[in-house]
Amino acid sequence: MFPRDFAWGAGTAAYQIEGGWQADSKGPSIWDTFCHEKGKVFGDQNGDVACNSYELWEKDLECIQKLGLTHYRFSLSWSRLLPEGTTRHVNQKGVQYYNKVIDDLLACNVSPMVTLYHFDLPQALQDQGGWKSPSTASLFDSYAKFCFQTFGDRVKLWITINEPYVCAKLGHEDGIHAPGLKEPGTTAYLVGHNMLRAHAMAWQSYDSLYRSRQGGQVSLAINSDWVEPFNTDCNEDIAATERYLAFSLGWFAWPVFVTGDYPEIMRSAIDAQSRKLGHKDSSRLPSFSKDEPSVLGTADFFALNYYTSRKVKPGGGCGRMMCMKSDRDAAEVLDPSWPICGVSWLAVVPDGLRKLLKYIKDTFNNPTVYITENGFSQLGPVEIEDVQRAEFYKDTILKVAEAIQEDGVRVRGYFAWSLLDNFEWADGFSVRFGLFHVDFADEMRSRTVYRSGQEYAKMILKHKLGK
């Protein structure tokens, strides 16, 4: 059903699980700062301790082994390794921690997939302008080279930046993620641009300096919903759907996989809205410089984070104000037949993943694909017997198998989100995605496998046995 060397994984991110927010000389990140301000996160919760994986890594490793994972995706904390964000000051305790994680995984025949950046910019760099500053791309490249040099002899799958869309829009347009900026209509495009530049520099550095001796692969993780027209016979709805895809998936995939530039639909929509609002200056969507290496071709595989699907029609703007929603002019509609799991935005549509995988194959030149995140959330009372989530994983993995066998999509791995219940950004600990429940009221942060974790382990074992 799946390729013999298929990657069966689960994922986490440093800020969401590690805790130890100032242990052993770690520097603060923008999420430390954001969470320590009142009113930013559900219940004013924070990741100061979270799952305490900085001290309880061996417990995480036990969870990984119980599931029988072949791969584990985790992120490095930039400010744990480089407290000031630059290689002038290296925190050896941070290096030792990640060396142990990587070495322990390999000793258990688990391959690491390492994310360099999962939302947690060092605060020292935010103080210098953060992702709005063009120079942050070069600083990221230096950090990436440090990581390739330090860990690349053992790490063969790298993600440079996780979900640049979320970092740009939620962090710099909506202000609901760190660094909490609300600068609609301009800053998100600039941030997304600098993140793409940073990714391209890091990929080029790996390609020229490390690939020949380390033999790894590098990509960036792009999140996207699957979307369809609200009315499939309505031209306006069809056009809105194309715009929605261009402003989400296309924003980052088009430059990397197709043209080296943003989708024309995206640029023309932004520029038309600017003219409408009397904004006569240069385009709010930046252009790539001919003096820098091209972003085109800077991915060795397609890393996809998929959670949900939408129907789309025109609308959803901000009146006379400049904002991404007005530029996009595409309103999201939930199909009432789709069940909702936990958080209101997460409609359960496994078939949407299959359709999105086929779209990626057809649009982006049939790349190798790793599904780097996919999951099902739980709210309210803890249900260890999470039958719905267990069914979700069965249904979803069946759709991935169909995408491989019937649609010819070259899917090479699937990473459930998440290994553990963890700090779910602005939702704090109120939303749970784990295959293992973490008791945050317990000082030892005890981990208990959910029914979904047990079922996922059975699916992995069945594959390993060739059934």
Side-chain angles (χ1 to χ4, degrees):
M1 191 182 271
F2 288 90
R4 201 96 192 100
D5 59 350
F6 194 80
W8 293 98
T12 59
Y15 187 77
Q16 293 179 273
I17 68 164
E18 283 182 3
W21 79 279
Q22 46 183 182
D24 295 335
S25 303
K26 177 188 170 290
S29 78
I30 56 173
W31 270 96
D32 292 314
T33 305
F34 187 73
C35 292
H36 293 155
E37 288 178 39
K38 293 284 182 204
K40 298 293 188 183
V41 173
F42 175 86
D44 284 330
Q45 294 170 343
N46 59 56
D48 289 4
V49 180
C51 306
N52 202 16
S53 293
Y54 186 63
E55 293 184 1
L56 301 175
W57 156 245
E58 283 86 356
K59 299 290 183 192
D60 295 354
L61 185 61
E62 286 172 21
C63 295
I64 290 164
Q65 289 176 286
K66 274 182 190 164
L67 294 176
L69 301 182
T70 66
H71 289 65
Y72 176 56
R73 180 182 173 216
F74 66 96
S75 80
L76 306 176
S77 165
W78 187 344
S79 61
R80 192 179 297 288
L81 289 166
L82 309 177
E84 294 154 15
T86 73
T87 51
R88 281 196 300 271
H89 174 204
V90 175
N91 177 18
Q92 289 302 330
K93 287 284 179 67
V95 173
Q96 287 166 19
Y97 173 68
Y98 293 120
N99 270 331
K100 179 167 171 50
V101 169
I102 292 164
D103 290 344
D104 287 355
L105 286 169
L106 292 171
C108 296
N109 291 318
V110 179
S111 300
M113 175 185 271
V114 175
T115 305
L116 294 172
Y117 184 80
H118 200 125
F119 299 176
D120 49 351
L121 189 73
Q123 183 61 43
L125 299 189
Q126 184 62 38
D127 294 342
Q128 296 168 35
W131 286 110
K132 288 169 65 173
S133 167
S135 63
T136 300
S138 305
L139 292 169
F140 177 81
D141 183 34
S142 297
Y143 161 61
K145 285 188 282 194
F146 169 79
C147 294
F148 298 149
Q149 181 73 39
T150 308
F151 308 115
D153 57 328
R154 290 152 292 155
V155 176
K156 303 307 170 192
L157 289 169
W158 293 96
I159 300 292
T160 53
I161 294 174
N162 181 74
E163 298 184 345
Y165 175 95
V166 172
C167 300
K169 186 175 185 297
L170 274 62
H172 298 80
E173 168 109 357
D174 305 333
I176 59 173
H177 274 198
L181 301 184
K182 293 180 182 175
E183 299 176 358
T186 52
T187 301
Y189 299 133
L190 177 61
V191 165
H193 188 71
N194 286 329
M195 287 186 151
L196 273 171
R197 291 176 54 247
H199 159 75
M201 287 180 191
W203 186 92
Q204 299 283 3
S205 291
Y206 189 84
D207 196 52
S208 61
L209 301 173
Y210 302 99
R211 188 188 302 277
S212 62
R213 68 175 186 271
Q214 293 184 356
Q217 294 186 302
V218 181
S219 189
L220 76 170
I222 300 174
N223 63 291
S224 183
D225 302 338
W226 173 245
V227 287
E228 294 176 353
F230 181 69
N231 179 346
T232 52
D233 296 325
C234 172
N235 287 335
E236 287 81 4
D237 290 5
I238 292 167
T241 302
E242 289 174 352
R243 281 195 305 277
Y244 187 102
L245 275 170
F247 273 81
S248 50
L249 182 69
W251 183 4
F252 299 97
W254 207 259
V256 172
F257 289 93
V258 184
T259 61
D261 201 356
Y262 297 110
E264 185 48 44
I265 298 172
M266 183 182 184
R267 187 176 294 281
S268 58
I270 292 167
D271 292 350
Q273 183 67 7
S274 290
R275 287 193 297 274
K276 195 168 144 189
L277 296 175
H279 184 87
K280 298 283 197 298
D281 300 332
S282 58
S283 176
R284 288 179 286 129
L285 184 65
S287 295
F288 291 100
S289 167
K290 298 280 187 286
D291 300 328
E292 290 188 338
S294 173
V295 70
L296 181 63
T298 58
D300 302 315
F301 55 92
F302 199 112
L304 172 68
N305 294 359
Y306 169 82
Y307 284 93
T308 191
S309 294
R310 293 287 186 269
K311 300 288 175 98
V312 174
K313 61 183 181 180
C318 325
R320 296 289 302 164
M321 206 174 85
M322 273 195 306
C323 72
M324 282 184 70
K325 280 187 175 176
S326 291
D327 294 339
R328 188 180 70 180
D329 185 23
E332 305 168 25
V333 183
L334 284 169
D335 187 316
S337 72
W338 295 337
I340 302 292
C341 77
V343 284
S344 59
W345 58 267
L346 217 169
V348 180
V349 196
D351 195 48
L353 176 55
R354 179 180 174 183
K355 290 174 180 175
L356 182 56
L357 288 168
K358 175 76 163 63
Y359 177 86
I360 287 168
K361 176 196 172 189
D362 294 343
T363 309
F364 302 113
N365 196 27
N366 192 19
T368 297
V369 180
Y370 285 87
I371 299 158
T372 38
E373 285 184 31
N374 177 243
F376 182 110
S377 70
Q378 190 184 95
L379 278 175
V382 175
E383 292 178 58
I384 295 297
E385 292 295 313
D386 58 343
V387 177
Q388 275 184 302
R389 179 155 49 197
E391 284 301 312
F392 160 82
Y393 277 117
K394 280 183 189 166
D395 293 345
T396 301
I397 286 165
L398 179 63
K399 291 299 175 186
V400 174
E402 289 172 1
I404 294 168
Q405 293 170 332
E406 297 174 31
D407 304 331
V409 185
R410 299 194 298 142
V411 185
R412 291 293 179 266
Y414 176 87
F415 290 76
W417 186 269
S418 172
L419 178 69
L420 307 170
D421 289 343
N422 58 47
F423 179 83
E424 196 52 49
W425 307 116
D427 291 320
F429 300 106
S430 68
V431 176
R432 298 178 297 276
F433 276 93
L435 294 164
F436 284 79
H437 172 59
V438 177
D439 183 354
F440 294 104
D442 172 13
E443 201 172 306
M444 293 310 297
R445 299 298 196 268
S446 55
R447 283 101 159 112
T448 306
V449 69
Y450 283 106
R451 162 74 71 87
S452 57
Q454 293 174 326
E455 293 300 325
Y456 186 45
K458 284 179 191 169
M459 285 185 265
I460 294 170
L461 182 60
K462 188 175 162 187
H463 164 74
K464 284 179 176 175
L465 296 172
K467 293 181 181 176

